[in-house]
Amino acid sequence: MATESAAVNFSELVNKNKQTLARLKESPRLLLHRRDGEDLVLTTAARAEQDQTVVSAATRMLVAMARREPGSMELLLDILPDAFPWVRFLPESDVHAFAVELVDTMRAADSLGNSASVAQMLTAWQHAAEVYSDPELLAALTRDHDADYGPVPDPRACA
């Protein structure tokens, strides 16, 4: 069973740092709510290292399993709907492409110790599944548009 993170306002950490940090003995993480920014998660270095060790071990096991035996990719394809129910909306060829990309991206991200690319890849595939799940949206996005809408503006210029 997962332990819930304790939550406090960031100002408590600033104003009552010893009492606030003592809460890390009761909870593995401390969620710090901020008024003027994104919330933060505070944990100990040892806990963060443990978490990274677990993720790395799971990644290495998944990669080894997926590449070792000829039938292992089929097993991975069989279990994907349990782990990611939204894959049921993807075409079969895309489910296979997702499985390959998941294993490859997890392996590459683990080598860097940074899982952001895995999260981004999962989000992108989930959005693709959302499109396939909605016939009207799929039709609108795959319909041939006879008009050329011109050059696409650089998205960095809008930010």
Side-chain angles (χ1 to χ4, degrees), residues 22-93:
R23 295 183 71 174
L24 283 174
K25 292 179 181 172
E26 305 161 9
S27 175
R29 287 166 199 80
L30 189 59
L31 179 62
L32 301 172
H33 296 294
R34 298 190 313 163
R35 266 184 286 160
D36 299 330
E38 187 176 1
D39 290 348
L40 302 174
V41 176
L42 182 65
T43 191
T44 64
R47 171 63 75 168
E49 188 175 327
Q50 288 172 352
D51 290 348
Q52 181 58 41
T53 299
V54 169
V55 170
S56 182
T59 296
R60 285 184 268 124
M61 288 173 24
L62 175 66
V63 169
M65 182 201 77
R67 293 179 179 206
R68 178 168 233 138
E69 296 295 324
S72 60
M73 185 53 81
E74 286 73 29
L75 175 60
L76 181 58
L77 292 169
D78 285 344
I79 65 170
L80 278 179
D82 291 331
F84 307 102
W86 46 260
V87 302
R88 289 178 172 88
F89 295 112
L90 294 173
E92 191 174 326
S93 62

Side-chain angles (χ1 to χ4, degrees), residues 12-25:
E12 273 190 62
L13 177 63
V14 173
N15 297 324
K16 301 175 187 174
N17 58 9
K18 287 183 182 178
Q19 298 94 320
T20 304
L21 291 175
R23 295 183 71 174
L24 283 174
K25 292 179 181 172

